Amino acid sequence: MATPSTVVDTWKVDTTKPVFSGLPASTASYGSSADVPAPPAVTAADNCDGAVSVSYQEIQTNPGNPCNNTITRTWTASDSCGNTATYTQTITVGDTIVPLLTCPPDCVRVKSDDNCPDHPDPNTTGTATATDNSGLHPTMTYSDQISGVCPKVISRTWKATDACGNYASAIQTITCYCQPSLITDTMRCTLPNNQLRLIFTQDAQNMPCYKLTASNPGQFYYNIFYSGGASTVGQQVTFNVTVPYPWVTQGANPVEVYDGVTVTTGGGQTCLVPGTKILAGPQQVTLASYNPAAMGSTTTLTVTVRVPASGFVFLAVHLDYGLKGTSGFSQNTAADATACGNTARVLIPNNGLYTFSVGGGATDSASVASYNTFKKNPGIGGLVQSLRTTAPVPGANVALKDAKGALLLTGVTDQDGWYVLNYKATGKTGTLYVTLTPPAGFGAAQTKSVTLKSNGYAEVDFITP
């Protein structure tokens, strides 16, 4: 009998998957399809077979969409034993980056440049530009919000929108002066209906005559605008400013020149805010400047300035009505201020029209009308004015007391800052006390004494901060 033989077979069981090399991160995000990199060259090695082939597959939810797309990349490698390795990368493509918007600079236009339309052509006022990370040109639009009339301010909002709806916006301010000059008060706000009031009060030293005590507003500016643009920077420009009698300049340097001005509107008024002062001129106009010194006369002052880097000149001349403080007036039925005792001789007409003009660098004229108001004084009266603006202070409370502090009368200042206390003094000459309590923002209460004769009149004026 043969002896049996034994055969031993030995094998190795392979359960190890291939190993990848060169894999990207499992997740990635990009703002644009153009930023998504090409799939890397991924390799795989197996513990038994060595290098094995790698298959690649890519699936997109919205192929080519730069705004909302998910790219799924899958690599697969298998060895001869059927061990399979897979790897997946998820790429999110979503553009959330707004365009880069460059807004045109703010600009100023006056009537000599164009007709100040509500929606000026961007070819004359500047156009915004924009770029986008996608490399495509964003859609550019603008909308205008208009405030004021003359001047008017156009707030132009530029908006750049890319293909994914991302947008950037910026505001360009276009200030449009419908005329190259206008008249304002000392707060640089336009006058309602281009009117002022001349306030005549009874002259306690020369009853029954009146004196021209004040105006409402208190003082004024004649404002001139010049827009020469970049081509005029550094050049000299001359303005010939003509002023009507009896207007006079105020201060040691009444001519003010600035490199710009901004505009605010509210309460039916337009107000000017000067830029940087580049010149303070000493040119003066007094009543002696007129020949003859009479209604209808004019005088001219000349201002030469070098155009600043802004290409814009804002010239303001500080003025006042030059007959304030004079006396010897009466009134006729038309409210003209006449010679006291001779109502046929009109000295200051009611509804008088005063025209200012400019030539040279700018050509224009602006007018203001004056209305006379006569304040009677039945005993004690007075004017309350602001020291800062010289404007009247309405709504101030006034109280009259005797020497013992007993309250005799009270009153309130009217729109022209004038108050009246209908008090008739009798008997001997005595001392009384007038206390002013101004509205908020005009300082503390003030008290002044006044000596009043029997049947006499007195004017007690106050200046508030």
Side-chain angles (χ1 to χ4, degrees):
M1 182 175 180
T3 301
S5 60
T6 300
V7 177
V8 178
D9 291 327
T10 303
W11 69 88
K12 184 177 181 180
V13 178
D14 182 9
T15 60
T16 303
K17 299 176 182 180
V19 177
F20 291 112
S21 296
L23 289 172
S26 61
T27 60
S29 296
Y30 297 95
S32 170
S33 297
D35 297 332
V36 178
V42 176
T43 61
D46 184 66
N47 62 324
C48 291
D49 299 339
V52 295
S53 62
V54 178
S55 64
Y56 169 78
Q57 183 184 39
E58 179 177 295
I59 299 175
Q60 298 189 30
T61 57
N62 293 298
N65 190 315
C67 307
N68 182 19
N69 188 18
T70 300
I71 303 173
T72 303
R73 291 174 169 176
T74 303
W75 290 267
T76 303
S78 299
D79 63 15
S80 59
C81 294
N83 300 304
T84 300
T86 61
Y87 182 84
T88 300
Q89 180 192 36
T90 302
I91 300 173
T92 302
V93 180
D95 184 1
T96 59
I97 301 174
V98 302
L100 179 61
L101 174 65
T102 302
C103 188
D106 296 342
C107 67
V108 178
R109 290 293 181 267
V110 296
K111 189 176 181 180
S112 58
D113 296 329
D114 54 41
N115 61 356
C116 281
D118 288 344
H119 304 283
D121 188 342
N123 289 326
T124 65
T125 57
T127 301
T129 59
T131 58
D132 189 59
N133 63 313
S134 67
L136 302 175
H137 292 293
T139 300
M140 187 71 69
T141 59
Y142 68 85
S143 60
D144 294 336
Q145 182 176 356
I146 303 164
S147 61
V149 178
C150 183
K152 74 174 70 170
V153 177
I154 302 166
S155 296
R156 174 164 290 175
T157 301
W158 290 95
K159 184 177 180 180
T161 307
D162 67 13
C164 297
N166 303 305
Y167 68 88
S169 62
I171 296 177
Q172 175 195 21
T173 300
I174 303 168
T175 305
C176 221
Y177 297 94
C178 58
Q179 61 189 73
S181 68
L182 58 84
I183 299 168
T184 65
D185 59 22
T186 50
M187 299 301 290
R188 304 185 194 272
C189 297
T190 53
L191 309 182
N193 300 316
N194 284 324
Q195 297 174 356
L196 66 97
R197 292 160 64 85
L198 297 177
I199 304 168
F200 295 83
T201 62
Q202 288 183 297
D203 189 348
Q205 307 302 317
N206 188 24
M207 297 292 284
C209 298
Y210 285 82
K211 64 180 179 179
L212 177 52
T213 303
S215 64
N216 185 6
Q219 293 179 4
F220 309 84
Y221 277 105
Y222 180 44
N223 306 275
I224 298 162
F225 314 104
Y226 169 83
S227 179
S231 63
T232 63
V233 172
Q235 298 180 10
Q236 286 190 332
V237 59
T238 298
F239 302 92
N240 300 310
V241 183
T242 298
V243 180
Y245 180 88
W247 294 81
V248 296
T249 52
Q250 285 293 298
N253 293 294
V255 176
E256 304 170 10
V257 182
Y258 302 86
D259 67 353
V261 62
T262 56
V263 176
T264 62
T265 59
Q269 286 184 291
T270 297
C271 300
L272 309 176
V273 181
T276 301
K277 184 179 285 188
I278 59 175
L279 176 67
Q283 297 91 327
Q284 298 285 335
V285 172
T286 67
L287 292 179
S289 302
Y290 296 93
N291 185 21
M295 295 294 177
S297 291
T298 62
T299 188
T300 299
L301 55 86
T302 298
V303 180
T304 299
V305 61
R306 194 172 298 279
V307 179
S310 63
F312 181 83
V313 174
F314 171 39
L315 167 63
V317 182
H318 191 183
L319 298 163
D320 200 358
Y321 195 83
L323 295 180
K324 289 180 186 177
T326 59
S327 185
F329 299 101
S330 185
Q331 63 173 317
N332 59 18
T333 56
D336 297 320
T338 66
C340 189
N342 182 5
T343 56
R345 184 187 173 198
V346 176
L347 301 178
I348 301 177
N350 187 38
N351 195 20
L353 190 67
Y354 303 90
T355 299
F356 301 79
S357 63
V358 60
T363 302
D364 193 43
S365 64
S367 298
V368 61
S370 67
Y371 290 85
N372 299 335
T373 178
F374 292 84
K375 308 290 187 179
K376 292 187 178 295
N377 185 349
I380 297 177
L383 185 70
V384 182
Q385 290 178 289
S386 165
L387 176 63
R388 183 170 61 94
T389 66
T390 73
V393 179
N397 294 302
V398 183
L400 178 65
K401 297 180 180 181
D402 63 16
K404 296 181 180 180
L407 181 64
L408 302 177
L409 285 171
T410 61
V412 180
T413 56
D414 63 15
Q415 63 177 326
D416 298 315
W418 179 257
Y419 71 89
V420 292
L421 299 171
N422 194 350
Y423 180 79
K424 184 176 182 181
T426 59
K428 297 180 180 180
T429 299
T431 300
L432 301 175
Y433 297 89
V434 182
T435 298
L436 170 77
T437 304
F442 288 91
Q446 305 177 40
T447 298
K448 290 186 177 182
S449 63
V450 57
T451 300
L452 202 61
K453 298 179 180 179
S454 179
N455 296 317
Y457 301 88
E459 181 174 334
V460 181
D461 298 330
F462 291 89
I463 299 294
T464 69

